[in-house]
Amino acid sequence: VATQEDLNKEAIRANFYSDRNETAPTDTFSRIYRLLFEPTPELRRFVLDSMEGLGLSPESPYLAAHVRSGYPLFNVSWFVWPDMDSHPDLVKSWSENAVRSVVAAYRQSLESNASSSFGDTDGLVVYVASDAPQVVEYLKSISDQAGNAAVANSREGWPLIVGMETKDRPNIDLAKPKHPSEWYPAFLDIWILSHARCVSYGIGGFGRFGANLARTGCMVQHRSSRKWLDYGA
């Protein structure tokens, strides 16, 4: 970038400024990212095929929620990695709250912006990204039970959940993939988050990064970075 400073001046001015003294704060981060990075043909095909399989497109009015369940929490003198096996009730509560939070934030954004073109809240679709496939599987199971009266009463307004529970997301700090394609599911999550109408994110920076890439400015943190003992678990 430093060696192409003069070359980039016109691109930066054209992409990030509505006039000489005004910026477009809502999607500036997204525009910078799209100017600097472009997916390879193989990754692009994987993303487009996956989105088609999920019934999504960048133009469709879907929401997104990111659930980081495997993030270590400090407990006095050791770390705890909660998951569906060790702490199912806790992880389920985080997961459901992620979905409820993004739906509430989206509805609030519609109410505060009467001229919004986002659409209404009927038939909402939420894409769930998670480092734990069991989280996606669990939340999709709630959607599958939507016709059950007891479930409908306890989860009024629950949206349709979509996601890829069959794909692992290697941790970039720990994993050593043999082929770049092993990272494709993580790039898919970022791509889908970046085109959502509203995003909820929890602990860690992955979900927040995806929320910042979205152009709508509609985002909410559904889980704080508290210590393990603060959860009372």
Side-chain angles (χ1 to χ4, degrees):
V1 175
T3 60
Q4 305 212 9
E5 181 179 357
D6 293 335
L7 177 63
N8 288 332
K9 282 182 179 178
E10 289 303 319
I12 291 173
R13 182 178 294 110
N15 282 277
F16 310 136
Y17 291 85
S18 54
D19 60 41
R20 189 174 297 273
N21 299 312
E22 184 180 357
T23 62
T26 299
D27 61 352
T28 297
F29 190 85
S30 175
R31 292 185 181 188
I32 292 174
Y33 184 83
R34 285 171 172 80
L35 178 68
L36 297 177
F37 299 98
E38 181 177 349
T40 64
E42 294 80 7
L43 174 58
R44 181 176 179 81
R45 175 49 51 195
F46 174 82
V47 169
L48 294 178
D49 288 347
S50 298
M51 291 189 70
E52 182 179 359
L54 292 167
L56 302 175
S57 74
E59 295 76 28
S60 61
Y62 68 86
L63 315 181
H66 179 255
V67 181
R68 180 74 184 275
S69 72
Y71 199 91
L73 298 173
F74 187 66
N75 182 15
V76 186
S77 59
W78 68 91
F79 286 99
V80 178
W81 282 264
D83 58 32
M84 280 290 198
D85 294 325
S86 63
H87 300 83
D89 292 340
L90 181 63
V91 175
K92 287 179 181 179
S93 68
W94 287 341
S95 304
E96 292 190 38
N97 186 53
V99 173
R100 291 194 184 96
S101 295
V102 73
V103 170
Y106 180 67
R107 286 174 172 161
Q108 184 176 8
S109 72
L110 292 180
E111 294 172 357
S112 61
N113 186 5
S115 61
S116 173
S117 60
F118 287 0
D120 57 36
T121 58
D122 293 333
L124 285 178
V125 176
V126 176
Y127 175 81
V128 176
S130 178
D131 58 344
Q134 299 93 331
V135 166
V136 182
E137 184 177 0
Y138 168 68
L139 291 173
K140 289 179 70 173
S141 73
I142 297 177
S143 291
D144 293 341
Q145 300 175 55
N148 182 291
V151 173
N153 290 334
S154 63
R155 296 185 175 91
E156 183 178 359
W158 189 259
L160 174 65
I161 303 296
V162 297
M164 301 185 70
E165 68 273 26
T166 60
K167 301 289 185 180
D168 290 327
R169 277 72 167 171
N171 188 302
I172 194 170
D173 295 322
L174 303 175
K176 296 180 180 180
K178 296 180 180 179
H179 191 274
S181 61
E182 294 182 40
W183 296 113
Y184 283 6
F187 283 113
L188 172 68
D189 286 342
I190 284 292
W191 182 274
I192 294 181
L193 290 173
S194 71
H195 288 86
R197 300 299 176 92
C198 195
V199 179
S200 70
Y201 60 93
I203 197 169
F206 187 89
R208 183 179 179 87
F209 178 59
N212 281 326
L213 287 178
R215 301 185 178 192
T216 65
C218 179
M219 63 178 73
V220 60
Q221 184 171 11
H222 63 78
R223 174 187 165 199
S224 65
S225 304
R226 297 182 296 172
K227 293 182 178 179
W228 176 249
L229 292 180
D230 293 335
Y231 289 105

